[in-house]
Amino acid sequence: VNGAVCSCQHGSPATGCRQGSENRCASCHAGFHLSGSNCVANVCSCSGGAAATGTACSSHGLAKCASCDAGRHKHNHACPLNTCTCAHGTGTTGAACPTHNTHVCASCSSGYDLLAAKTCRFRVCTCANGAEKRGAACGAHGQEQCRACHN
């Protein structure tokens, strides 16, 4: 039958097919786009995660992430690296920062020591008979080092 309505999965069928079983689409449903005469699922792009697809991707090739890789977080459909904070030092980034904007130190400022808990501790020496050294003047936390002796 000439001029029969075509078939179309995920869209509106075109007309003018020789047989009704011929697959030819005139337009596609949301989440799909025309590729030749077929409607195929949209696939977005995503750096640092899994791209959105189908109805979650409004336009084929659009930058939109469905989920993010470890060390990244979702922000405006993108997956930027996690960045941690650190009082008295430099925060970690990426996989070393498991949750964005939390307190995890990569290194510490002068006079501070990086602890196993990834925090910075102010260095304080001891001095049994005087005033202890502190900060950068103290070689190692808890070490006996005096800056002044008692008279």
mmCIF file of all heavy atoms in Angstrom, residues 68-127:
data_model
loop_
_atom_site.group_PDB
_atom_site.id
_atom_site.type_symbol
_atom_site.label_atom_id
_atom_site.label_comp_id
_atom_site.label_asym_id
_atom_site.label_seq_id
_atom_site.Cartn_x
_atom_site.Cartn_y
_atom_site.Cartn_z
ATOM 1 N N CYS A 68 28.436 11.248 39.686
ATOM 2 C CA CYS A 68 29.857 11.638 39.673
ATOM 3 C C CYS A 68 30.751 10.517 40.187
ATOM 4 O O CYS A 68 30.343 9.706 41.014
ATOM 5 C CB CYS A 68 30.059 12.878 40.535
ATOM 6 S SG CYS A 68 29.133 14.317 39.957
ATOM 7 N N ASP A 69 31.989 10.512 39.704
ATOM 8 C CA ASP A 69 33.000 9.563 40.168
ATOM 9 C C ASP A 69 33.420 9.921 41.587
ATOM 10 O O ASP A 69 33.169 11.037 42.059
ATOM 11 C CB ASP A 69 34.240 9.614 39.256
ATOM 12 C CG ASP A 69 33.953 9.166 37.834
ATOM 13 O OD1 ASP A 69 32.961 8.443 37.612
ATOM 14 O OD2 ASP A 69 34.738 9.556 36.939
ATOM 15 N N ALA A 70 34.105 8.993 42.258
ATOM 16 C CA ALA A 70 34.646 9.245 43.601
ATOM 17 C C ALA A 70 35.564 10.460 43.547
ATOM 18 O O ALA A 70 36.296 10.648 42.577
ATOM 19 C CB ALA A 70 35.405 8.027 44.101
ATOM 20 N N GLY A 71 35.491 11.298 44.564
ATOM 21 C CA GLY A 71 36.327 12.495 44.626
ATOM 22 C C GLY A 71 35.742 13.680 43.890
ATOM 23 O O GLY A 71 36.380 14.710 43.743
ATOM 24 N N ARG A 72 34.492 13.546 43.429
ATOM 25 C CA ARG A 72 33.791 14.621 42.722
ATOM 26 C C ARG A 72 32.390 14.754 43.298
ATOM 27 O O ARG A 72 31.901 13.849 43.963
ATOM 28 C CB ARG A 72 33.724 14.320 41.225
ATOM 29 C CG ARG A 72 35.100 14.329 40.564
ATOM 30 C CD ARG A 72 35.022 13.948 39.090
ATOM 31 N NE ARG A 72 36.319 14.041 38.468
ATOM 32 C CZ ARG A 72 36.796 15.134 37.874
ATOM 33 N NH1 ARG A 72 36.075 16.219 37.815
ATOM 34 N NH2 ARG A 72 37.993 15.139 37.336
ATOM 35 N N HIS A 73 31.745 15.882 43.019
ATOM 36 C CA HIS A 73 30.391 16.117 43.508
ATOM 37 C C HIS A 73 29.564 16.795 42.425
ATOM 38 O O HIS A 73 30.108 17.448 41.544
ATOM 39 C CB HIS A 73 30.414 16.982 44.776
ATOM 40 C CG HIS A 73 30.965 18.359 44.534
ATOM 41 N ND1 HIS A 73 32.316 18.613 44.399
ATOM 42 C CD2 HIS A 73 30.348 19.550 44.381
ATOM 43 C CE1 HIS A 73 32.500 19.901 44.176
ATOM 44 N NE2 HIS A 73 31.316 20.497 44.159
ATOM 45 N N LYS A 74 28.247 16.613 42.492
ATOM 46 C CA LYS A 74 27.368 17.229 41.494
ATOM 47 C C LYS A 74 27.174 18.700 41.812
ATOM 48 O O LYS A 74 26.905 19.075 42.941
ATOM 49 C CB LYS A 74 26.013 16.525 41.436
ATOM 50 C CG LYS A 74 26.131 15.237 40.645
ATOM 51 C CD LYS A 74 24.878 14.670 40.110
ATOM 52 C CE LYS A 74 24.092 15.588 39.238
ATOM 53 N NZ LYS A 74 22.858 14.976 38.761
ATOM 54 N N HIS A 75 27.327 19.518 40.774
ATOM 55 C CA HIS A 75 27.112 20.957 40.889
ATOM 56 C C HIS A 75 26.679 21.469 39.515
ATOM 57 O O HIS A 75 27.458 21.407 38.562
ATOM 58 C CB HIS A 75 28.391 21.659 41.358
ATOM 59 C CG HIS A 75 28.255 23.138 41.480
ATOM 60 N ND1 HIS A 75 27.540 23.719 42.499
ATOM 61 C CD2 HIS A 75 28.710 24.143 40.708
ATOM 62 C CE1 HIS A 75 27.576 25.038 42.339
ATOM 63 N NE2 HIS A 75 28.276 25.314 41.257
ATOM 64 N N ASN A 76 25.441 21.946 39.431
ATOM 65 C CA ASN A 76 24.904 22.460 38.160
ATOM 66 C C ASN A 76 25.099 21.484 37.002
ATOM 67 O O ASN A 76 25.587 21.846 35.949
ATOM 68 C CB ASN A 76 25.528 23.817 37.811
ATOM 69 C CG ASN A 76 25.138 24.888 38.797
ATOM 70 O OD1 ASN A 76 24.087 24.817 39.423
ATOM 71 N ND2 ASN A 76 25.985 25.882 38.947
ATOM 72 N N HIS A 77 24.769 20.225 37.200
ATOM 73 C CA HIS A 77 24.838 19.159 36.191
ATOM 74 C C HIS A 77 26.266 18.764 35.809
ATOM 75 O O HIS A 77 26.461 18.022 34.859
ATOM 76 C CB HIS A 77 24.040 19.518 34.931
ATOM 77 C CG HIS A 77 22.621 19.877 35.207
ATOM 78 N ND1 HIS A 77 21.723 18.983 35.738
ATOM 79 C CD2 HIS A 77 21.943 21.030 35.042
ATOM 80 C CE1 HIS A 77 20.559 19.574 35.882
ATOM 81 N NE2 HIS A 77 20.655 20.816 35.478
ATOM 82 N N ALA A 78 27.269 19.295 36.519
ATOM 83 C CA ALA A 78 28.670 18.952 36.246
ATOM 84 C C ALA A 78 29.242 18.192 37.444
ATOM 85 O O ALA A 78 28.586 18.047 38.469
ATOM 86 C CB ALA A 78 29.477 20.220 35.980
ATOM 87 N N CYS A 79 30.469 17.701 37.312
ATOM 88 C CA CYS A 79 31.144 16.947 38.373
ATOM 89 C C CYS A 79 32.529 17.539 38.664
ATOM 90 O O CYS A 79 33.555 16.944 38.307
ATOM 91 C CB CYS A 79 31.282 15.479 37.974
ATOM 92 S SG CYS A 79 29.745 14.551 37.940
ATOM 93 N N PRO A 80 32.588 18.706 39.320
ATOM 94 C CA PRO A 80 33.906 19.251 39.664
ATOM 95 C C PRO A 80 34.559 18.442 40.794
ATOM 96 O O PRO A 80 33.881 17.714 41.527
ATOM 97 C CB PRO A 80 33.592 20.673 40.128
ATOM 98 C CG PRO A 80 32.180 20.605 40.617
ATOM 99 C CD PRO A 80 31.504 19.565 39.765
ATOM 100 N N LEU A 81 35.870 18.572 40.923
ATOM 101 C CA LEU A 81 36.610 17.885 41.987
ATOM 102 C C LEU A 81 36.157 18.382 43.349
ATOM 103 O O LEU A 81 35.880 19.570 43.527
ATOM 104 C CB LEU A 81 38.112 18.156 41.851
ATOM 105 C CG LEU A 81 38.867 17.415 40.773
ATOM 106 C CD1 LEU A 81 40.300 17.919 40.680
ATOM 107 C CD2 LEU A 81 38.858 15.918 41.034
ATOM 108 N N ASN A 82 36.114 17.457 44.321
ATOM 109 C CA ASN A 82 35.871 17.851 45.703
ATOM 110 C C ASN A 82 37.052 18.689 46.176
ATOM 111 O O ASN A 82 38.202 18.407 45.825
ATOM 112 C CB ASN A 82 35.758 16.622 46.612
ATOM 113 C CG ASN A 82 34.491 15.841 46.394
ATOM 114 O OD1 ASN A 82 33.572 16.293 45.722
ATOM 115 N ND2 ASN A 82 34.433 14.655 46.969
ATOM 116 N N THR A 83 36.772 19.692 46.978
ATOM 117 C CA THR A 83 37.812 20.524 47.578
ATOM 118 C C THR A 83 37.530 20.599 49.069
ATOM 119 O O THR A 83 36.457 21.040 49.471
ATOM 120 C CB THR A 83 37.805 21.941 46.978
ATOM 121 O OG1 THR A 83 37.987 21.844 45.563
ATOM 122 C CG2 THR A 83 38.921 22.791 47.563
ATOM 123 N N CYS A 84 38.467 20.145 49.875
ATOM 124 C CA CYS A 84 38.314 20.187 51.324
ATOM 125 C C CYS A 84 38.995 21.428 51.894
ATOM 126 O O CYS A 84 39.839 22.049 51.240
ATOM 127 C CB CYS A 84 38.897 18.924 51.956
ATOM 128 S SG CYS A 84 37.827 17.476 51.773
ATOM 129 N N THR A 85 38.621 21.761 53.110
ATOM 130 C CA THR A 85 39.199 22.902 53.810
ATOM 131 C C THR A 85 40.213 22.394 54.829
ATOM 132 O O THR A 85 40.232 21.206 55.156
ATOM 133 C CB THR A 85 38.105 23.708 54.545
ATOM 134 O OG1 THR A 85 37.476 22.839 55.494
ATOM 135 C CG2 THR A 85 37.069 24.242 53.566
ATOM 136 N N CYS A 86 41.035 23.305 55.343
ATOM 137 C CA CYS A 86 42.017 22.931 56.367
ATOM 138 C C CYS A 86 42.416 24.172 57.145
ATOM 139 O O CYS A 86 43.033 25.081 56.589
ATOM 140 C CB CYS A 86 43.241 22.300 55.720
ATOM 141 S SG CYS A 86 44.524 21.879 56.928
ATOM 142 N N ALA A 87 42.052 24.190 58.419
ATOM 143 C CA ALA A 87 42.513 25.271 59.287
ATOM 144 C C ALA A 87 44.015 25.074 59.499
ATOM 145 O O ALA A 87 44.451 23.974 59.814
ATOM 146 C CB ALA A 87 41.773 25.228 60.625
ATOM 147 N N HIS A 88 44.794 26.097 59.267
ATOM 148 C CA HIS A 88 46.249 26.083 59.457
ATOM 149 C C HIS A 88 46.982 25.195 58.468
ATOM 150 O O HIS A 88 48.000 24.595 58.795
ATOM 151 C CB HIS A 88 46.611 25.688 60.897
ATOM 152 C CG HIS A 88 45.842 26.421 61.934
ATOM 153 N ND1 HIS A 88 45.972 27.765 62.127
ATOM 154 C CD2 HIS A 88 44.882 26.009 62.796
ATOM 155 C CE1 HIS A 88 45.157 28.151 63.081
ATOM 156 N NE2 HIS A 88 44.471 27.104 63.496
ATOM 157 N N GLY A 89 46.442 25.089 57.234
ATOM 158 C CA GLY A 89 47.117 24.294 56.218
ATOM 159 C C GLY A 89 46.374 24.318 54.900
ATOM 160 O O GLY A 89 45.545 25.191 54.648
ATOM 161 N N THR A 90 46.658 23.326 54.064
ATOM 162 C CA THR A 90 46.055 23.197 52.740
ATOM 163 C C THR A 90 45.149 21.975 52.713
ATOM 164 O O THR A 90 45.576 20.877 53.088
ATOM 165 C CB THR A 90 47.168 23.041 51.676
ATOM 166 O OG1 THR A 90 48.044 24.162 51.758
ATOM 167 C CG2 THR A 90 46.579 22.949 50.275
ATOM 168 N N GLY A 91 43.918 22.158 52.260
ATOM 169 C CA GLY A 91 42.963 21.066 52.177
ATOM 170 C C GLY A 91 43.253 20.130 51.019
ATOM 171 O O GLY A 91 43.912 20.498 50.047
ATOM 172 N N THR A 92 42.747 18.913 51.123
ATOM 173 C CA THR A 92 42.903 17.925 50.061
ATOM 174 C C THR A 92 41.913 18.208 48.933
ATOM 175 O O THR A 92 40.970 18.972 49.105
ATOM 176 C CB THR A 92 42.650 16.502 50.605
ATOM 177 O OG1 THR A 92 41.331 16.441 51.128
ATOM 178 C CG2 THR A 92 43.655 16.116 51.668
ATOM 179 N N THR A 93 42.141 17.569 47.777
ATOM 180 C CA THR A 93 41.226 17.691 46.640
ATOM 181 C C THR A 93 41.030 16.314 46.017
ATOM 182 O O THR A 93 41.814 15.393 46.261
ATOM 183 C CB THR A 93 41.769 18.657 45.561
ATOM 184 O OG1 THR A 93 43.031 18.170 45.103
ATOM 185 C CG2 THR A 93 41.917 20.069 46.083
ATOM 186 N N GLY A 94 39.981 16.192 45.212
ATOM 187 C CA GLY A 94 39.728 14.954 44.483
ATOM 188 C C GLY A 94 39.425 13.786 45.397
ATOM 189 O O GLY A 94 38.746 13.935 46.411
ATOM 190 N N ALA A 95 39.947 12.609 45.058
ATOM 191 C CA ALA A 95 39.664 11.389 45.816
ATOM 192 C C ALA A 95 40.153 11.469 47.260
ATOM 193 O O ALA A 95 39.610 10.807 48.139
ATOM 194 C CB ALA A 95 40.275 10.176 45.117
ATOM 195 N N ALA A 96 41.165 12.286 47.536
ATOM 196 C CA ALA A 96 41.669 12.457 48.909
ATOM 197 C C ALA A 96 40.695 13.259 49.767
ATOM 198 O O ALA A 96 40.833 13.308 50.984
ATOM 199 C CB ALA A 96 43.039 13.135 48.885
ATOM 200 N N CYS A 97 39.703 13.878 49.132
ATOM 201 C CA CYS A 97 38.660 14.648 49.826
ATOM 202 C C CYS A 97 37.336 13.915 49.589
ATOM 203 O O CYS A 97 36.656 14.157 48.603
ATOM 204 C CB CYS A 97 38.606 16.068 49.263
ATOM 205 S SG CYS A 97 37.302 17.099 49.969
ATOM 206 N N PRO A 98 36.973 12.989 50.478
ATOM 207 C CA PRO A 98 35.809 12.141 50.219
ATOM 208 C C PRO A 98 34.475 12.891 50.137
ATOM 209 O O PRO A 98 33.593 12.479 49.391
ATOM 210 C CB PRO A 98 35.805 11.146 51.376
ATOM 211 C CG PRO A 98 36.709 11.701 52.403
ATOM 212 C CD PRO A 98 37.635 12.653 51.726
ATOM 213 N N THR A 99 34.323 13.983 50.875
ATOM 214 C CA THR A 99 33.090 14.772 50.844
ATOM 215 C C THR A 99 33.443 16.237 50.661
ATOM 216 O O THR A 99 34.222 16.792 51.452
ATOM 217 C CB THR A 99 32.286 14.586 52.147
ATOM 218 O OG1 THR A 99 32.047 13.188 52.347
ATOM 219 C CG2 THR A 99 30.959 15.321 52.082
ATOM 220 N N HIS A 100 32.899 16.849 49.618
ATOM 221 C CA HIS A 100 33.209 18.239 49.283
ATOM 222 C C HIS A 100 32.990 19.179 50.470
ATOM 223 O O HIS A 100 32.021 19.064 51.205
ATOM 224 C CB HIS A 100 32.331 18.684 48.103
ATOM 225 C CG HIS A 100 32.572 20.092 47.678
ATOM 226 N ND1 HIS A 100 33.782 20.504 47.165
ATOM 227 C CD2 HIS A 100 31.770 21.192 47.709
ATOM 228 C CE1 HIS A 100 33.700 21.791 46.884
ATOM 229 N NE2 HIS A 100 32.494 22.233 47.206
ATOM 230 N N ASN A 101 33.930 20.097 50.652
ATOM 231 C CA ASN A 101 33.862 21.183 51.632
ATOM 232 C C ASN A 101 33.921 20.708 53.082
ATOM 233 O O ASN A 101 33.439 21.388 53.973
ATOM 234 C CB ASN A 101 32.617 22.045 51.387
ATOM 235 C CG ASN A 101 32.874 23.492 51.752
ATOM 236 O OD1 ASN A 101 34.008 23.955 51.708
ATOM 237 N ND2 ASN A 101 31.832 24.199 52.113
ATOM 238 N N THR A 102 34.492 19.535 53.321
ATOM 239 C CA THR A 102 34.703 19.078 54.695
ATOM 240 C C THR A 102 36.146 19.382 55.090
ATOM 241 O O THR A 102 36.967 19.771 54.253
ATOM 242 C CB THR A 102 34.404 17.575 54.857
ATOM 243 O OG1 THR A 102 35.204 16.843 53.931
ATOM 244 C CG2 THR A 102 32.927 17.289 54.629
ATOM 245 N N HIS A 103 36.490 19.203 56.361
ATOM 246 C CA HIS A 103 37.815 19.537 56.881
ATOM 247 C C HIS A 103 38.734 18.323 56.789
ATOM 248 O O HIS A 103 38.657 17.412 57.608
ATOM 249 C CB HIS A 103 37.695 20.017 58.331
ATOM 250 C CG HIS A 103 38.963 20.609 58.848
ATOM 251 N ND1 HIS A 103 39.912 19.866 59.482
ATOM 252 C CD2 HIS A 103 39.441 21.873 58.794
ATOM 253 C CE1 HIS A 103 40.930 20.652 59.808
ATOM 254 N NE2 HIS A 103 40.661 21.875 59.406
ATOM 255 N N VAL A 104 39.614 18.310 55.771
ATOM 256 C CA VAL A 104 40.615 17.256 55.598
ATOM 257 C C VAL A 104 41.886 17.932 55.080
ATOM 258 O O VAL A 104 41.882 18.517 54.001
ATOM 259 C CB VAL A 104 40.165 16.166 54.593
ATOM 260 C CG1 VAL A 104 41.216 15.069 54.479
ATOM 261 C CG2 VAL A 104 38.816 15.577 54.982
ATOM 262 N N CYS A 105 42.963 17.841 55.846
ATOM 263 C CA CYS A 105 44.212 18.528 55.491
ATOM 264 C C CYS A 105 45.155 17.647 54.676
ATOM 265 O O CYS A 105 45.294 16.450 54.940
ATOM 266 C CB CYS A 105 44.934 18.974 56.754
ATOM 267 S SG CYS A 105 43.999 20.159 57.747
ATOM 268 N N ALA A 106 45.808 18.268 53.699
ATOM 269 C CA ALA A 106 46.852 17.599 52.916
ATOM 270 C C ALA A 106 48.213 17.952 53.486
ATOM 271 O O ALA A 106 49.125 17.126 53.501
ATOM 272 C CB ALA A 106 46.767 18.023 51.457
ATOM 273 N N SER A 107 48.359 19.190 53.948
ATOM 274 C CA SER A 107 49.612 19.656 54.535
ATOM 275 C C SER A 107 49.297 20.772 55.518
ATOM 276 O O SER A 107 48.195 21.334 55.505
ATOM 277 C CB SER A 107 50.571 20.149 53.453
ATOM 278 O OG SER A 107 50.006 21.262 52.781
ATOM 279 N N CYS A 108 50.270 21.087 56.360
ATOM 280 C CA CYS A 108 50.069 22.094 57.401
ATOM 281 C C CYS A 108 51.042 23.261 57.254
ATOM 282 O O CYS A 108 52.134 23.108 56.705
ATOM 283 C CB CYS A 108 50.248 21.467 58.781
ATOM 284 S SG CYS A 108 49.085 20.128 59.104
ATOM 285 N N SER A 109 50.628 24.384 57.772
ATOM 286 C CA SER A 109 51.469 25.577 57.784
ATOM 287 C C SER A 109 52.658 25.355 58.718
ATOM 288 O O SER A 109 52.647 24.459 59.568
ATOM 289 C CB SER A 109 50.663 26.784 58.282
ATOM 290 O OG SER A 109 49.531 26.980 57.473
ATOM 291 N N SER A 110 53.668 26.210 58.596
ATOM 292 C CA SER A 110 54.849 26.148 59.448
ATOM 293 C C SER A 110 54.425 26.244 60.915
ATOM 294 O O SER A 110 53.588 27.057 61.280
ATOM 295 C CB SER A 110 55.785 27.308 59.089
ATOM 296 O OG SER A 110 56.901 27.306 59.939
ATOM 297 N N GLY A 111 54.988 25.358 61.729
ATOM 298 C CA GLY A 111 54.675 25.360 63.151
ATOM 299 C C GLY A 111 53.522 24.443 63.517
ATOM 300 O O GLY A 111 53.113 24.375 64.674
ATOM 301 N N TYR A 112 52.985 23.734 62.532
ATOM 302 C CA TYR A 112 51.885 22.791 62.758
ATOM 303 C C TYR A 112 52.292 21.419 62.237
ATOM 304 O O TYR A 112 53.069 21.300 61.304
ATOM 305 C CB TYR A 112 50.619 23.242 62.025
ATOM 306 C CG TYR A 112 49.981 24.471 62.624
ATOM 307 C CD1 TYR A 112 50.462 25.738 62.316
ATOM 308 C CD2 TYR A 112 48.905 24.355 63.498
ATOM 309 C CE1 TYR A 112 49.885 26.872 62.875
ATOM 310 C CE2 TYR A 112 48.323 25.479 64.055
ATOM 311 C CZ TYR A 112 48.813 26.730 63.742
ATOM 312 O OH TYR A 112 48.247 27.852 64.295
ATOM 313 N N ASP A 113 51.745 20.371 62.847
ATOM 314 C CA ASP A 113 52.011 18.991 62.432
ATOM 315 C C ASP A 113 50.746 18.374 61.867
ATOM 316 O O ASP A 113 49.651 18.572 62.407
ATOM 317 C CB ASP A 113 52.477 18.147 63.624
ATOM 318 C CG ASP A 113 53.829 18.594 64.167
ATOM 319 O OD1 ASP A 113 54.708 18.921 63.354
ATOM 320 O OD2 ASP A 113 53.990 18.598 65.399
ATOM 321 N N LEU A 114 50.885 17.586 60.784
ATOM 322 C CA LEU A 114 49.765 16.870 60.191
ATOM 323 C C LEU A 114 49.553 15.580 60.986
ATOM 324 O O LEU A 114 50.440 14.744 61.097
ATOM 325 C CB LEU A 114 50.057 16.544 58.720
ATOM 326 C CG LEU A 114 48.946 15.851 57.943
ATOM 327 C CD1 LEU A 114 47.697 16.726 57.868
ATOM 328 C CD2 LEU A 114 49.431 15.503 56.536
ATOM 329 N N LEU A 115 48.371 15.434 61.537
ATOM 330 C CA LEU A 115 48.044 14.256 62.338
ATOM 331 C C LEU A 115 47.405 13.177 61.465
ATOM 332 O O LEU A 115 46.947 13.453 60.352
ATOM 333 C CB LEU A 115 47.090 14.643 63.472
ATOM 334 C CG LEU A 115 47.607 15.728 64.425
ATOM 335 C CD1 LEU A 115 46.557 16.067 65.467
ATOM 336 C CD2 LEU A 115 48.904 15.287 65.101
ATOM 337 N N ALA A 116 47.331 11.955 61.990
ATOM 338 C CA ALA A 116 46.740 10.839 61.260
ATOM 339 C C ALA A 116 45.288 11.124 60.878
ATOM 340 O O ALA A 116 44.804 10.649 59.861
ATOM 341 C CB ALA A 116 46.827 9.560 62.087
ATOM 342 N N ALA A 117 44.598 11.932 61.679
ATOM 343 C CA ALA A 117 43.193 12.285 61.409
ATOM 344 C C ALA A 117 43.079 13.361 60.329
ATOM 345 O O ALA A 117 41.986 13.850 60.065
ATOM 346 C CB ALA A 117 42.530 12.769 62.690
ATOM 347 N N LYS A 118 44.193 13.707 59.692
ATOM 348 C CA LYS A 118 44.245 14.711 58.616
ATOM 349 C C LYS A 118 43.822 16.091 59.102
ATOM 350 O O LYS A 118 43.138 16.840 58.414
ATOM 351 C CB LYS A 118 43.400 14.281 57.408
ATOM 352 C CG LYS A 118 43.837 12.971 56.789
ATOM 353 C CD LYS A 118 45.205 13.092 56.182
ATOM 354 C CE LYS A 118 45.624 11.796 55.509
ATOM 355 N NZ LYS A 118 46.968 11.819 55.031
ATOM 356 N N THR A 119 44.237 16.424 60.339
ATOM 357 C CA THR A 119 44.058 17.764 60.905
ATOM 358 C C THR A 119 45.442 18.298 61.260
ATOM 359 O O THR A 119 46.407 17.534 61.350
ATOM 360 C CB THR A 119 43.162 17.736 62.158
ATOM 361 O OG1 THR A 119 43.767 16.879 63.131
ATOM 362 C CG2 THR A 119 41.755 17.248 61.836
ATOM 363 N N CYS A 120 45.534 19.606 61.476
ATOM 364 C CA CYS A 120 46.810 20.229 61.833
ATOM 365 C C CYS A 120 46.799 20.607 63.311
ATOM 366 O O CYS A 120 45.845 21.223 63.788
ATOM 367 C CB CYS A 120 47.044 21.476 60.975
ATOM 368 S SG CYS A 120 47.268 21.098 59.226
ATOM 369 N N ARG A 121 47.872 20.234 64.009
ATOM 370 C CA ARG A 121 48.007 20.543 65.433
ATOM 371 C C ARG A 121 49.170 21.518 65.613
ATOM 372 O O ARG A 121 50.255 21.322 65.057
ATOM 373 C CB ARG A 121 48.283 19.258 66.218
ATOM 374 C CG ARG A 121 48.604 19.519 67.687
ATOM 375 C CD ARG A 121 48.971 18.255 68.420
ATOM 376 N NE ARG A 121 50.196 17.672 67.855
ATOM 377 C CZ ARG A 121 50.619 16.448 68.117
ATOM 378 N NH1 ARG A 121 49.941 15.659 68.900
ATOM 379 N NH2 ARG A 121 51.738 16.005 67.576
ATOM 380 N N PHE A 122 48.922 22.568 66.387
ATOM 381 C CA PHE A 122 49.962 23.544 66.700
ATOM 382 C C PHE A 122 51.040 22.846 67.515
ATOM 383 O O PHE A 122 50.758 22.131 68.475
ATOM 384 C CB PHE A 122 49.360 24.718 67.488
ATOM 385 C CG PHE A 122 50.324 25.834 67.750
ATOM 386 C CD1 PHE A 122 50.845 26.576 66.701
ATOM 387 C CD2 PHE A 122 50.709 26.145 69.041
ATOM 388 C CE1 PHE A 122 51.737 27.612 66.937
ATOM 389 C CE2 PHE A 122 51.600 27.177 69.287
ATOM 390 C CZ PHE A 122 52.116 27.914 68.232
ATOM 391 N N ARG A 123 52.295 23.017 67.104
ATOM 392 C CA ARG A 123 53.419 22.350 67.747
ATOM 393 C C ARG A 123 53.782 23.064 69.045
ATOM 394 O O ARG A 123 54.041 24.274 69.056
ATOM 395 C CB ARG A 123 54.611 22.350 66.787
ATOM 396 C CG ARG A 123 55.649 21.334 67.117
ATOM 397 C CD ARG A 123 56.761 21.288 66.084
ATOM 398 N NE ARG A 123 56.253 21.038 64.739
ATOM 399 C CZ ARG A 123 56.733 21.644 63.644
ATOM 400 N NH1 ARG A 123 57.721 22.499 63.727
ATOM 401 N NH2 ARG A 123 56.219 21.368 62.478
ATOM 402 N N VAL A 124 53.812 22.316 70.157
ATOM 403 C CA VAL A 124 54.175 22.863 71.468
ATOM 404 C C VAL A 124 55.185 21.918 72.108
ATOM 405 O O VAL A 124 54.904 20.737 72.305
ATOM 406 C CB VAL A 124 52.936 23.014 72.391
ATOM 407 C CG1 VAL A 124 53.351 23.553 73.755
ATOM 408 C CG2 VAL A 124 51.894 23.910 71.750
ATOM 409 N N CYS A 125 56.353 22.448 72.429
ATOM 410 C CA CYS A 125 57.365 21.662 73.123
ATOM 411 C C CYS A 125 57.098 21.718 74.628
ATOM 412 O O CYS A 125 56.166 22.386 75.075
ATOM 413 C CB CYS A 125 58.769 22.220 72.818
ATOM 414 S SG CYS A 125 59.336 21.825 71.141
ATOM 415 N N THR A 126 57.916 21.037 75.402
ATOM 416 C CA THR A 126 57.823 21.108 76.862
ATOM 417 C C THR A 126 59.087 21.767 77.394
ATOM 418 O O THR A 126 60.112 21.814 76.706
ATOM 419 C CB THR A 126 57.674 19.700 77.487
ATOM 420 O OG1 THR A 126 58.817 18.924 77.128
ATOM 421 C CG2 THR A 126 56.404 19.016 76.984
ATOM 422 N N CYS A 127 59.003 22.264 78.608
ATOM 423 C CA CYS A 127 60.180 22.841 79.266
ATOM 424 C C CYS A 127 59.952 22.736 80.766
ATOM 425 O O CYS A 127 59.140 23.471 81.334
ATOM 426 C CB CYS A 127 60.381 24.293 78.847
ATOM 427 S SG CYS A 127 61.870 25.022 79.582
#
